[in-house]
Structures are given as C-alpha cells and as structure tokens.
Amino acid sequence: MNAKDLRSDVQRLGEMIARANRIVPFTGAGISTECGIPDFRSPGGLWTRNRPIAYEEFIASRTARDEAWRRRFAMEATFAAATPGRGHRALASLYRVGKVPAAITQNIDNLHQKSGFAPHHVVELHGNTTYARCIGCGRFYDLAWVKRRFDESGAPDCIDCEEPVKTATISFGQAMPEDAMERATALAQGCDLFIAIGSSLVVWPAAGFPMMAKDCGARLVIINREPTPQDDIADLVIRQDIGDTLAPFVES
Ligand code: NAD
C-alpha cells in the first residue's frame, strides 16, 4: 500500500464518519501493538510463544495457575508502561464530541479508559488484566497484593473463600460476561456505523458483533492489516496500519 492508497482510505473513512450519528468502535489487539503490547496472531505474537491456558486447566491445576501468574508478571512492565496509541486517541476524540457512545473491546489492557473513555463506556468482552478477582466470590484484588503472595507461596487463593484468584480476564472455556454481551448487542444493533479495528475476527462470540451491526443496517468498516473472514460483507476494508489510518482523527 502506498501513501496515495492511505490518503484515499482516510478520505473515505472521514466521509463515513462525517455522515454517521452513532459510531461504535469494536477493537482488538491490533490497536495496541503500537503501544508495545503484542497481539496474538501476528508473526511473533503471543500465540506463537505461549499456548493459552484454558479456564478448566487454571481451575484444576496449581501448576497451571503458577504458570498463568508467572506469564502475567512477565508482561507487567509492558502493560504498566503502555500508553494509548493514535487509534485509541482518535476514538477518544470521537467520543468527546458525542459521535461515539461507547467502545466495545476484546482487549484487556485498559487503554481505552486511559485515553479518556469513562470506564462505564468501555464494554470489555474479555475482561481486564490490570486487576484480579476471586473466581468463587468475585472479591477484587490489586496486582500488587497478588504479586506479594505469589512471591511468597505461588498462585494465591482468596482470603475469604479460598477459591483461586485470577486476572479479571475471560479465558478460553470461561463463560462470557452476560452484562458486557448485552451491552455490546445493544450498541451493535443501535449504531449507524460500526468500525472493527485490529481484530482477526476469529474469536467467537466476539466476532459476531460486526456482522450483527451490518445485519441491523449499520455500515461496516474493517481496519486490519491482514484479511479477515468478514471483509466481504464490509462497506469499506482498510488494510493499513491502524495508527496511520486513525491519526488524522485525533483532536487534541
Ligand atoms: P488477534 O491477535 O487475533 O488479531 C490482531 C489483528 O490485528 C491481526 O489480524 C493483525 O494483522 C492486526 N494488526 C496488528 N497490528 C496492527 C496494526 N498496527 N495495524 C493494522 N493491523 C494490525 O487479536 P484479536 O482479534 O483481538 O483476538 C485476540 C484475543 O487476544 C482477544 O480476545 C484479546 O482479548 C486478547 N489479546 C488482547 C491484547 C490486548 O489487550 N492488547 C493483546 C493480545 C491478545
């Protein structure tokens, strides 16, 4: 893709944004790669290095829990240092002017909130890795507490109910959060422009939202540097870098 293609993609996207009244962004790991957080499926992504630990395995095995927490703390410097990228900042600009009511995200990195979205306007389909919860009673734990316990005696259990403590994320095999699914459904069904950004659109049920929005009459834009299984139903497919594409929409 050359600079002329990028300019014409940005122009078409700008026209669609200008015409829309209610824009819903749906983001995946690709919006955060320029912030230093690797995605799953790009070459060198997390998937190629670590097989994910499924929920069943986490519950059943102390060794798996120790490994899950070891991996999480190995990523801590990366997550803690990450600041919103151009994509996050562009969406936050559209949110501030009232064009975007809320963002739906598969990401767990808290960067939409850091970019200026109110926490209740970020629908997190896969949870949030910047804090932890007991899988039994749901008690909240901050990561500093988990780290102290982990360093002393490995993956910690809840001080109330003794069930395992886990990052507040949704693992493979774990039930989706009902409230987030309902809110995402309402957003997808009630928008006139839906923009899928930086997702391979292969993780279900999250990947159902772009086609749901399209079925309900929204225009669909997909911004991803690799093809996705929903490109052929999109009104506009932009195979460009996300930061380069969305930078013109950042308002300071
Ligand atoms: P994915 O890794 O399956 O797909 C990311 C897509 O983004 C890829 O197709 C890649 O080509 C594209 N991409 C990466 N950088 C890009 C860039 N700069 N410009 C344009 N395209 C770019 O990610 P997914 O679809 O979100 O699914 C993976 C799951 O992994 C999610 O459920 C999410 O919970 C989790 N995850 C989250 C983070 C995070 O929070 N930042 C990081 C890794 C994985």
Side-chain angles (χ1 to χ4, degrees):
M1 290 283 181
N2 58 32
K4 190 161 155 276
D5 291 328
L6 177 63
R7 270 202 307 279
S8 93
D9 282 341
V10 169
Q11 191 184 344
R12 288 183 68 193
L13 178 62
E15 287 161 8
M16 290 170 85
I17 288 174
R19 272 204 299 273
N21 292 313
R22 198 173 161 81
I23 303 169
V24 170
F26 169 89
T27 59
I31 196 172
S32 299
T33 52
E34 76 170 17
C35 314
I37 302 174
D39 63 9
F40 262 165
R41 290 177 184 78
S42 286
L46 294 174
W47 199 270
T48 55
R49 283 181 275 150
N50 281 324
R51 183 183 62 82
I53 296 168
Y55 189 60
E56 289 258 296
E57 206 180 337
F58 184 91
I59 295 193
S61 150
R62 169 157 288 281
T63 311
R65 293 201 287 283
D66 284 345
E67 173 60 11
W69 279 113
R70 189 197 61 72
R71 287 183 193 177
R72 176 60 187 86
F73 292 126
M75 289 289 293
E76 178 53 12
T78 302
F79 278 117
T83 54
R86 292 169 294 172
H88 299 98
R89 298 206 311 273
L91 298 179
S93 300
L94 293 170
Y95 168 71
R96 272 196 300 276
V97 299
K99 282 241 174 198
V100 164
I104 307 173
T105 189
Q106 298 175 87
N107 292 346
I108 55 175
D109 54 25
N110 214 43
L111 288 179
H112 288 301
Q113 292 91 327
K114 275 195 186 171
S115 75
F117 276 80
H120 60 282
H121 288 147
V122 182
V123 178
E124 293 176 316
L125 296 174
H126 296 159
N128 189 309
T129 194
T130 63
Y131 57 93
R133 284 194 184 279
C134 165
I135 61 165
C137 67
R139 180 176 171 147
F140 172 96
Y141 289 95
D142 65 40
L143 292 191
W145 179 89
V146 179
K147 180 76 167 79
R148 279 196 304 277
R149 296 289 291 257
F150 181 78
D151 288 345
E152 283 160 20
S153 50
D157 294 330
C158 179
I159 51 180
D160 285 338
C161 72
E162 298 182 2
E163 290 290 325
V165 172
K166 179 180 175 295
T167 54
T169 51
I170 305 297
S171 302
F172 286 101
Q174 189 171 0
M176 293 293 285
E178 268 174 45
D179 175 60
M181 288 299 284
E182 276 169 23
R183 290 168 62 213
T185 301
L187 285 163
Q189 292 178 342
C191 66
D192 56 2
L193 179 61
F194 191 95
I195 312 180
I197 304 163
S199 174
S200 54
L201 300 182
V202 297
V203 179
W204 287 80
F209 289 109
M211 58 176 68
M212 179 188 290
K214 177 74 185 163
D215 282 347
C216 290
R219 306 236 276 164
L220 174 62
V221 176
I222 294 177
I223 309 174
N224 204 60
R225 73 180 159 214
E226 285 172 296
T228 82
Q230 296 183 41
D231 288 357
D232 51 358
I233 62 161
D235 298 278
L236 175 63
V237 176
I238 301 182
R239 291 224 183 106
Q240 304 275 1
D241 178 75
I242 291 161
D244 291 348
T245 306
L246 292 179
F249 303 97
V250 177
E251 306 256 324
S252 49

